[in-house]
Amino acid sequence: MVQRLLQPGEIESLDHNAIPRLLLPQPAKHFEARAERLRQLAAGAVPGIPVEEALRGYLGLMASLADAQHAVVTRLGATGVPLPEMAALKQAHDHNMPPLPATGARPAVWLGVFASLLDALDAAKDAPPQLAPALAALRATSSAELEGTADAILGGFTEGADPLRAPFVAAALQVTWSLMAAQLDAAWAQPLVTGTLCPMCGSHPVASVVRIGGQSQGYRYLHCSVCESEWHMVRVKCSCCEATGKVAYQGLVGKDADPTADNIAAAKEGKAISKANDPTKVARAETCDDCHTYRKIFNQEHDFHVEPVADDLASMMLDVLVSEAGYARASGNPLLWLKENP
């Protein structure tokens, strides 16, 4: 554990109303929560995120993968992936660099994590039937090919990331980096020069999320696609170019969802009108007319169970609509890799 001991008197001087700028991952909990959320989405049980029938099978497959991630994390334990040497951590800290750089040397254990994921998927009781041939192909992949795919994923390159192999490799990398990040101290980590990259590993966020509860109440966090850390960024600020002048929000809602029905019923009964649980505000795209990119933002104030990676994957309809409006996606989802058009 990398941390600094507080001296007498320092505890009293802390600002207990300060915004937590960094939320470290909780691997023992969040992969399990992701699996549950993916199954809810696949069942069409989330009013704010309508899911096309063609996508539901894939969401079910990714739920099985998240279950496998949880199983591997449980088997490895909190310290199952060793941290880099203290000298490397200190050097990164002193120079405001990510202490666990995703583009640096990978822990040798990651290939073992990948193999364990395949074993957990093989043992899954409710895995989809099409998974068996995929597992056979994954087991036949050489270490060199896996390393090449990992290079592409961590470098953010679609070229070199085979769409069939990449989600499983990405899942192994998420387990590896999240277990390392969870061992560090959020107060010890230094902010980067740019607020658009993860302070822990330097990766791009997959999406942002408005959190509720405690000191994080109502604040927006960017969610890392690799180590699963979250870092604070003020709202109405582009998470790609950090401009504030031309940010807007685009949303969608399922045909059966009526965001006003509950309020109309409450008004007729003389009850207070609630601003919470509005399906139209669960998932939106934050667009920027300065850099012409977008990234999705999910709001826990309107759906307590929002999960950035799962919800981003399920809301592909929003991607299509925003892309047709002329905006480019700022960064991808680690569980979905599409082939580039020739």
Side-chain angles (χ1 to χ4, degrees):
M1 175 74 72
V2 178
Q3 59 185 354
R4 182 179 70 83
L5 296 177
L6 294 176
Q7 299 302 314
E10 286 188 298
I11 294 177
E12 290 78 3
S13 67
L14 291 176
D15 182 0
H16 295 287
N17 294 316
I19 302 168
R21 60 182 179 84
L22 179 63
L23 306 177
L24 294 181
Q26 296 180 296
K29 298 180 179 179
H30 76 238
F31 291 119
E32 185 176 32
R34 181 172 298 163
E36 183 177 353
R37 180 67 169 184
L38 283 164
R39 290 191 171 91
Q40 290 175 346
L41 290 160
V46 180
I49 305 179
V51 178
E52 293 293 308
E53 188 67 34
L55 183 59
R56 294 185 179 185
Y58 189 73
L59 295 179
L61 175 61
M62 291 300 101
S64 295
L65 181 56
D67 280 334
Q69 288 176 295
H70 177 67
V72 174
V73 165
T74 301
R75 184 181 67 80
L76 288 174
T79 58
V81 177
L83 287 169
E85 295 294 330
M86 181 61 70
L89 292 173
K90 185 177 185 304
Q91 183 179 40
H93 177 273
D94 292 345
H95 293 86
N96 291 85
M97 299 293 287
L100 305 171
T103 54
R106 282 189 287 278
V109 299
W110 93 267
L111 286 172
V113 171
F114 178 78
S116 296
L117 273 178
L118 301 188
D119 290 341
L121 284 166
D122 207 19
K125 296 180 180 179
D126 60 347
Q130 65 269 31
L131 184 59
L135 288 176
L138 289 166
R139 290 188 188 281
T141 305
S142 68
S143 296
E145 289 176 303
L146 291 175
E147 295 286 5
T149 301
D151 286 338
I153 291 170
L154 296 176
F157 308 119
T158 53
E159 184 177 350
D162 175 60
L164 298 178
R165 184 188 302 147
F168 299 91
V169 173
L173 296 171
Q174 285 178 329
V175 169
T176 302
W177 256 264
S178 66
L179 282 173
M180 288 193 293
Q183 296 176 58
L184 297 179
D185 188 331
W188 171 84
Q190 293 279 61
L192 305 185
V193 175
T194 173
T196 64
L197 298 176
C198 175
M200 278 282 106
C201 71
S203 298
H204 290 282
V206 63
S208 63
V209 56
V210 177
R211 289 294 182 196
I212 62 173
Q215 292 173 306
S216 298
Q217 176 68 41
Y219 292 110
R220 188 264 287 267
Y221 289 84
L222 303 181
H223 187 98
C224 180
S225 59
V226 176
C227 76
E228 309 279 359
S229 297
E230 293 186 354
W231 65 103
H232 175 251
M233 177 177 277
V234 296
R235 296 203 216 182
V236 199
K237 184 175 186 179
C238 176
S239 61
C240 186
C241 73
E242 300 192 84
T244 58
K246 299 179 181 178
V247 173
Y249 296 91
Q250 321 293 333
L252 53 79
V253 68
K255 62 182 180 180
D256 297 327
D258 183 357
T260 63
D262 290 340
N263 285 342
I264 291 173
K268 288 181 178 179
E269 296 175 14
K271 298 179 180 178
I273 294 177
S274 172
K275 295 182 180 179
N277 303 318
D278 182 347
T280 65
K281 295 180 181 178
V282 172
R284 293 188 292 175
E286 185 180 72
T287 60
C288 176
D289 281 335
D290 278 309
C291 64
H292 299 286
T293 67
Y294 75 93
R295 186 172 273 124
K296 294 177 200 167
I297 179 168
F298 302 100
N299 199 323
Q300 200 177 21
E301 293 174 323
H302 296 284
D303 184 337
F304 178 78
H305 299 289
V306 296
E307 204 290 321
V309 174
D311 290 5
D312 177 72
L313 184 63
S315 54
M316 289 183 65
M317 187 187 305
L318 184 55
D319 286 289
V320 172
L321 295 175
V322 178
S323 297
E324 289 178 348
Y327 297 96
R329 184 172 168 119
S331 54
N333 188 302
L335 300 184
L336 182 66
W337 296 80
L338 302 175
K339 288 185 178 180
E340 291 288 314
N341 292 326

